[in-house]
C-alpha cells in the first residue's frame, strides 16, 4: 500500500520556526492514518534545526535547485547561513520517504523546505514568488508526487489511482 508523507506542522505538531503548528484538520488525513498510510515528517527538525528557530529564506534570485547544487544559500534575517541543515533535512526526508514506501507527499506551502508552488523571495518582506522549497524540489525530482495543503483531495485521488493500478496489474498478470 502506498504511503503518504505529510509535513509535521500540518498534522498539528508544533515544529515550525515560531514554535507553532499549522494544522489543516482534513478528514482525509484521519482516513490515511486509520489506513496506516500516513507518515509524518519535518525536514528542518530532521536536519538538526531547533524549535523555535529564526525564519529563513532562499537568498534572492536563487532557486531550490541552486541551493541543492551548492550554488546558493538559505539565510536567516541576521545573515546566518543555515543552508547545511536545510539540505540535510531535504536528504533526510527523501531517505525517510524511500524507506517507508512513500509515493505521495502533502507539504506545507511557502516554506523554504516544504513549499511547492511559491516561496518567500529572500528579502524577509513577506513577498512571495513562484518556486519551491528544497525538500519539495528533491522529493518531486525523485518520483514522489508532491501536493500542498490545498491539494489533499488530489493527493488522495493519486493514492487511490496508484493502489488501483497495481491491483489491476495483479489481476491481469
Ligand atoms: Fe512544517 Fe516543513 Fe517547516 Fe517542518 S520544515 S515546520 S514540516 S513546513
Amino acid at each position: 500500500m502506498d504511503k503518504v508523507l505529510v509535513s509535521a506542522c500540518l498534522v498539528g505538531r508544533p515544529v515550525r520556526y515560531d514554535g507553532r503548528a499549522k494544522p489543516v484538520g482534513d478528514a482525509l488525513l484521519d482516513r490515511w492514518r486509520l489506513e496506516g498510510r500516513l507518515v509524518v515528517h519535518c525536514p528542518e527538525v530532521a536536519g538538526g534545526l531547533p524549535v523555535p528557530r529564526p525564519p529563513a529564506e532562499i537568498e534572492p534570485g536563487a532557486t531550490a535547485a541552486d541551493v541543492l547544487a551548492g550554488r546558493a544559500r538559505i539565510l536567516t534575517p541576521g545573515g546566518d547561513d543555515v543552508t547545511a541543515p536545510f539540505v540535510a533535512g531535504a536528504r533526510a526526508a527523501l531517505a525517510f520517504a524511500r524507506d517507508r514506501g512513500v509515493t505521495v507527499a502533502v507539504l506545507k506551502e511557502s516554506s523554504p523546505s516544504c513549499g511547492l508552488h511559491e516561496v518567500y523571495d529572500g528579502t524577509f518582506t513577506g513577498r512571495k514568488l513562484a518556486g519551491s522549497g528544497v525538500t519539495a524540489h528533491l522529493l518531486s525530482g525523485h518520483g514522489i508526487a508532491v501536493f500542498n495543503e490545498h491539494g489533499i483531495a488530489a493527493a488522495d485521488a493519486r493514492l487511490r489511482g496508484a493502489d488501483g493500478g497495481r491491483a489491476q496489474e495483479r489481476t491481469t498478470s
Side-chain angles (χ1 to χ4, degrees), residues 5-10 13-18 20-22 40-46 49 51 53 86 106-115 135:
L5 184 154
V6 179
S7 290
C9 57
L10 293 179
R13 295 198 188 166
V15 290
R16 296 183 77 221
Y17 74 94
D18 57 5
R20 303 173 75 169
K22 206 75 169 169
V40 175
H41 191 71
C42 174
E44 292 174 23
V45 169
L49 290 164
V51 181
R53 53 190 174 276
F86 274 78
V106 175
L107 303 182
K108 172 75 186 73
E109 191 58 273
S110 306
S111 153
S113 293
C114 293
T135 294

